[in-house]
Amino acid sequence: MNTHNPQGPQGPQGPDTKLRGPAVWALVLTGVASFMAALDNLVVTTALPAIREDLGGKLEDLEWTVNAYTLTFAVLLMFGAALGDRFGRRRLFTVGLAIFTGASAAAALSTGIDALIAARAVQGVGAAVMMPLTLTLLTAAVPAARRGMALGIYGAVTGLAVASGPLIGGSLTEHISWQWIFWLNVPTGLALIPLARLRLAESTAPGARLDFPGTLLISGGLFGIVYALVNANSKGWTSAPVLTGLIVGAALVGGFIHHGFNHPNPMLPMRLFWNRGFLGINLASLLMFLGMFGSIFLLSQYLQGVAGYSPTQAGLRMLPWTGMPMIVAPFAGILSDRIGSRPVVAAGLAFQALGLGWFAAILARDLSYTAQLPPLILGGIGMALYFAPAANVLMSTVAPADQGKASGTNNALREVGGALGVAVLASVFSAQGGYESPQTFIDGTVPALWIGAGAVALAAGLALLLPGKPKPGPVVEGHVAAVPEKVPATG
């Protein structure tokens, strides 16, 4: 029986390019875990009317059922990655799974809106510990020659989870009850915990340290900003709570950036951003999720509140968008291995921007589904082209010792983008329209979609910062060294 080398066993023909048993197990386990964590970002969107009818609550309370999860997820991701580096990635991965599973059960058992929001916040804590370690564990287990394909599949699973949240949430809400959007996680989590203990290899980062000051700075800063954005319309942009949240939040984020430059071992070393690939993929990720999350939040409600579809029917009609990552992303991962990630990522983001702009241009009360199909398909293809190579780009820009922090950073910025997207686009929606009638809903949604399209278009421009396809270097002991193409040391 052959032993497995996480970097791929070497033979006379060069590096092994097959996914062997441990790599397959790592792909399955990390893929399912990331699917659960990503799914819970938007799974509640189509269930919000049922939750409001059952538990009560104001519009702001319903927004927090989405943002309580997204925010704790975002602000603790980098700390979760550091915990894994320090105490063992497999060990903390299983701890995060256990917290996430228990909080899912608590959410399903909630009898009031405040209890649900609290359970969603704890869910975010579990996901923040679990999610960044999935990418690190997978990268370590897969041979380098097959990493693009494996990360393409991983990206497809994650992208499908994010986009299919409205469909799954709507189907469970309509045919069973809204509680089942959370009960679904419980048996899955209970099955993954022992399998992770048995099938994943343990690893740590030498000399890893925990950064409590950095965690407090970024957590407080992001909470203040998102709190202000969520409450801006109900309380007013010039109200004391909103202004305090914006000013104090921005100051704390500034302190976090200063901390990252000056602390000897920060949770996020700002030196990483001198690499143009790391800077480009992270800024593009933040903007892409800002545009995508906010748009899905509004479009899923448009299909129900204006077009008159049931939650399940609305989710099914989004399948041309939500199904594309599963179909296209694995091929996009292989394509990025051949021609480089920059053109694939930039094209994917451009397609998404065009899809959202198309929707904004044609949105109307009596818009036929046939007219919706082209922007849905275009946006879905764009999402798939982005997700597939983005993870590979990220992990190739940092040294192995920094991969945990890099993964946590990218996931955190995605979640920050999602929280900002829901808050910003909902704020535009409320300022320009509302829920009073189908026409007022469209009046608010159209300008919000244009802003979402603009954010994703800007992300496409930032994707041009990514380095080109690496040139093959000299062969050393059976390995082909990669020589980056025209990447200055300081970005």
Side-chain angles (χ1 to χ4, degrees):
M1 180 176 179
N2 293 331
T3 58
H4 173 70
N5 181 343
Q7 300 302 321
Q10 301 296 311
Q13 304 301 320
D16 187 356
T17 60
K18 295 182 178 180
L19 288 181
R20 298 182 182 274
V24 172
W25 272 109
L27 179 59
V28 170
L29 294 175
T30 59
V32 173
S34 68
F35 183 91
M36 285 200 306
L39 180 71
D40 273 60
N41 278 294
L42 284 176
V43 73
V44 301
T45 54
T46 46
L48 289 177
I51 292 173
R52 184 177 186 180
E53 182 179 350
D54 193 11
L55 302 182
K58 301 177 182 178
L59 178 62
E60 292 79 11
D61 296 323
L62 298 180
E63 283 188 62
W64 277 113
T65 63
V66 177
N67 285 330
Y69 177 83
T70 304
L71 193 57
T72 54
F73 195 177
V75 301
L76 295 176
L77 268 166
M78 289 179 282
F79 189 65
L83 286 172
D85 290 344
R86 173 80 179 273
F87 297 110
R89 291 160 181 155
R90 183 189 65 187
R91 178 182 302 169
L92 267 295
F93 175 73
T94 57
V95 169
L97 266 173
I99 295 172
F100 183 85
T101 303
S104 297
L109 294 170
S110 298
T111 57
I113 193 70
D114 292 337
L116 177 60
I117 292 172
R120 288 282 286 166
V122 178
Q123 260 193 316
V125 173
V129 175
M130 171 179 69
M131 189 68 169
L133 302 177
T134 59
L135 200 53
T136 311
L137 290 166
L138 179 60
T139 301
V142 176
R146 304 298 284 176
R147 201 165 288 154
M149 181 189 70
L151 292 176
I153 296 171
Y154 174 93
V157 170
T158 304
L160 179 63
V162 170
S164 64
L167 170 60
I168 295 175
S171 299
L172 291 173
T173 299
E174 182 178 347
H175 297 293
I176 309 178
S177 70
W178 66 263
Q179 285 88 348
W180 275 91
I181 64 178
F182 302 114
W183 282 127
L184 183 67
N185 295 325
V186 176
T188 307
L190 292 176
L192 286 179
I193 291 170
L195 286 173
R197 296 278 299 175
L198 292 171
R199 297 295 183 178
L200 295 177
E202 185 61 283
S203 64
T204 58
R209 296 290 185 273
L210 299 179
D211 180 11
F212 290 103
T215 301
L216 293 175
L217 284 170
I218 193 62
S219 300
L222 290 177
F223 177 82
I225 292 171
V226 173
Y227 173 85
L229 290 172
V230 168
N231 290 280
N233 285 298
S234 62
K235 297 181 183 298
W237 284 96
T238 58
S239 65
V242 171
L243 287 177
T244 300
L246 289 174
I247 295 170
V248 174
L252 290 175
V253 171
F256 175 75
I257 294 172
H258 180 269
H259 177 82
F261 278 116
N262 294 280
H263 193 272
N265 190 35
M267 67 186 300
L268 175 55
M270 291 298 158
R271 60 178 170 78
L272 296 177
F273 287 97
W274 290 117
N275 182 297
R276 79 178 191 192
F278 187 84
L279 174 66
I281 197 63
N282 279 290
L283 289 179
S285 296
L286 185 148
L287 289 168
M288 193 279 278
F289 270 65
L290 188 154
M292 184 187 70
F293 262 58
S295 300
I296 290 177
F297 182 78
L298 292 174
L299 286 174
S300 62
Q301 295 182 70
Y302 163 82
L303 290 173
Q304 294 181 70
V306 177
Y309 299 120
S310 71
T312 303
Q313 290 172 335
L316 286 172
R317 280 160 177 77
M318 293 181 74
L319 276 178
W321 187 5
T322 62
M324 283 299 166
M326 183 173 61
I327 299 170
V328 177
F331 299 101
I334 296 171
L335 181 65
S336 69
D337 285 341
R338 293 184 178 179
I339 69 172
S341 298
R342 179 169 58 195
V344 181
V345 171
L349 292 168
F351 285 173
Q352 287 184 71
L354 288 171
L356 291 176
W358 193 335
F359 244 120
I362 66 173
L363 200 67
R365 293 178 59 179
D366 56 352
L367 182 65
S368 69
Y369 183 63
T370 302
Q372 297 174 35
L373 273 175
L376 285 171
I377 293 172
L378 190 62
I381 293 173
M383 190 187 301
L385 291 177
Y386 164 81
F387 275 119
N392 204 11
V393 170
L394 173 74
M395 302 309 272
S396 67
T397 62
V398 297
D402 289 324
Q403 285 182 346
K405 291 180 179 179
S407 175
T409 300
N410 186 254
N411 280 286
L413 287 174
R414 290 183 180 190
E415 298 306 316
V416 169
L420 291 175
V422 172
V424 170
L425 269 64
S427 177
V428 173
F429 167 82
S430 297
Q432 300 296 320
Y435 292 96
E436 291 81 11
S437 69
Q439 188 57 51
T440 58
F441 189 94
I442 292 171
D443 291 341
T445 301
V446 168
L449 289 180
W450 278 120
I451 290 176
V456 181
L458 180 57
L462 289 170
L464 298 177
L465 290 173
L466 301 179
K469 188 178 187 295
K471 297 177 180 178
V475 177
V476 181
E477 295 182 359
H479 292 276
V480 179
V483 179
E485 180 181 355
K486 299 179 182 178
V487 182
T490 60

